[in-house]
Amino acid sequence: MAILNPTSHSCETPYQAPQLTSTPTACFRGVRIALHIIYGMLLAGAIPLLNKSTQQHIVQYWSRKFLDLLHVGLETYGCYHHATAQGRLIVANHISWLDAVSMNAVLPTYFVAKSEVGDWPFLGWIFHRINTLFIKRDIRQETARINCQIKGILEQGDHIAVFPEGTTSDGTQLGHFHSSLLQGPVDIGSTICPVAIRYHDGTGKANGDAAFVDDMTFIESLWKILCSPSLHVTLVYLPAIPCTGKNRRMLASEAREAIHTTLVNLSSGHASHTIE
């Protein structure tokens, strides 16, 4: 995958939506999403009884359909890092709860999420059933527990994704990457795989409608997405970074730089992609 060097490091201008989707259309989409979530709950109830391959197929299918019902376009580039004898830790910038759905539509993955997400009605129950790891960030001992679980997942050959920023943003700025959850791959000499996430409209201009920030509730966020006239998400799976000889802070810095460079290239229109 070739991505040209950035020509500018300035923040992009926030997207200004020309016209919202009509209320009746948004409501119709909302009803279909509600039914799809109920369908997801039924599927999630059976998931623990199925083999791993079938579980991943179901998660991927449900996630892709979720995006389709939201009318969210999905574009992917790069290496998708399929399963190996030793799993990989995926690290990505964080804008929305929709990030996880989009990533699962490409490559089903375990996720580490804030404990509050597990309390969401309906979706929270689904996340529990598909083995999401929930962390209480205000408890220091939680980091050691989650790192131990991440290590176990990697040793099984599975992938797990974390959002090192620790919070969401509006997509115009990339926050500091905390390294506290990157110890697992260091301990077993695995790799980490950066993924750059960007939301935009059909012309490539930044679209902030998916941003899940401040005190926004899930319902408010979902409604904003339903009303968005043109929303696309691009995922760029960047080359894996070997952990051998590096500590977690070095890895966090290297992953952040790779994602930052990619996002700047995408926003300035100077990116060239080759799917491997």
Side-chain angles (χ1 to χ4, degrees):
M1 176 180 60
I3 297 181
L4 305 181
N5 291 327
T7 58
S8 171
H9 288 270
S10 61
C11 297
E12 52 187 302
T13 303
Y15 172 83
Q16 298 294 326
Q19 184 177 358
L20 296 178
T21 299
S22 68
T23 298
T25 299
C27 289
F28 176 70
R29 292 177 183 175
V31 170
R32 297 185 70 191
I33 283 292
L35 293 174
H36 191 61
I37 290 175
I38 293 172
Y39 176 53
M41 293 179 69
L42 297 175
L43 292 175
I47 272 187
L49 306 175
L50 306 174
N51 61 50
K52 185 181 297 184
S53 176
T54 304
Q55 289 178 7
Q56 292 179 337
H57 176 76
I58 288 174
V59 170
Q60 185 176 42
Y61 164 77
W62 185 88
S63 300
R64 286 181 174 178
K65 187 63 176 178
F66 194 96
L67 294 178
D68 287 343
L69 293 175
L70 284 177
H71 283 244
V72 174
L74 174 64
E75 300 172 23
T76 60
Y77 301 97
C79 302
Y80 296 163
H81 308 302
H82 291 289
T84 61
Q86 194 175 67
R88 290 169 172 155
L89 181 69
I90 296 174
V91 298
N93 57 306
H94 200 15
I95 300 167
S96 173
W97 55 269
L98 199 59
D99 301 346
V101 177
S102 302
M103 293 169 72
N104 270 334
V106 178
L107 181 64
T109 305
Y110 290 86
F111 282 89
V112 177
K114 296 186 297 182
S115 58
E116 293 85 348
V117 174
D119 296 329
W120 286 0
F122 308 117
L123 276 181
W125 189 84
I126 293 176
F127 294 151
H128 275 285
R129 299 294 286 185
I130 61 174
N131 299 317
T132 302
L133 305 184
F134 296 101
I135 182 171
K136 296 180 180 179
R137 295 187 179 275
D138 55 342
I139 301 177
R140 295 187 61 181
Q141 293 85 346
E142 283 283 274
T143 300
R145 180 182 67 84
I146 294 296
N147 272 321
C148 184
Q149 291 182 296
I150 289 175
K151 181 179 176 181
I153 289 170
L154 296 177
E155 288 176 331
Q156 292 173 182
D158 293 318
H159 299 328
I160 182 165
V162 300
F163 300 107
E165 290 172 285
T167 187
T168 53
S169 72
D170 63 4
T172 62
Q173 299 267 346
L174 187 62
H176 172 71
F177 272 27
H178 301 279
S179 63
S180 56
L181 296 181
L182 305 187
Q183 190 59 44
V186 173
D187 289 342
I188 64 175
S190 180
T191 57
I192 65 172
C193 305
V195 175
I197 303 174
R198 182 174 184 265
Y199 292 91
H200 54 90
D201 68 3
T203 68
K205 294 181 180 179
N207 185 337
D209 290 340
F212 187 52
V213 293
D214 302 324
D215 297 323
M216 182 180 290
T217 66
F218 170 75
I219 297 300
E220 290 172 338
S221 174
L222 178 60
W223 181 250
K224 189 173 183 179
I225 292 170
L226 289 169
C227 292
S228 183
S230 177
L231 182 60
H232 297 250
V233 56
T234 290
L235 305 180
V236 182
Y237 287 75
L238 298 165
I241 301 173
C243 296
T244 305
K246 300 174 184 175
N247 60 45
R248 53 189 174 86
R249 291 179 178 81
M250 295 168 63
L251 292 168
S253 177
E254 192 171 341
R256 185 189 184 281
E257 182 58 30
I259 291 173
H260 177 263
T261 299
T262 302
L263 292 175
V264 171
N265 283 329
L266 289 172
S267 65
S268 61
H270 292 279
S272 173
H273 308 284
T274 301
I275 298 178
E276 301 179 2

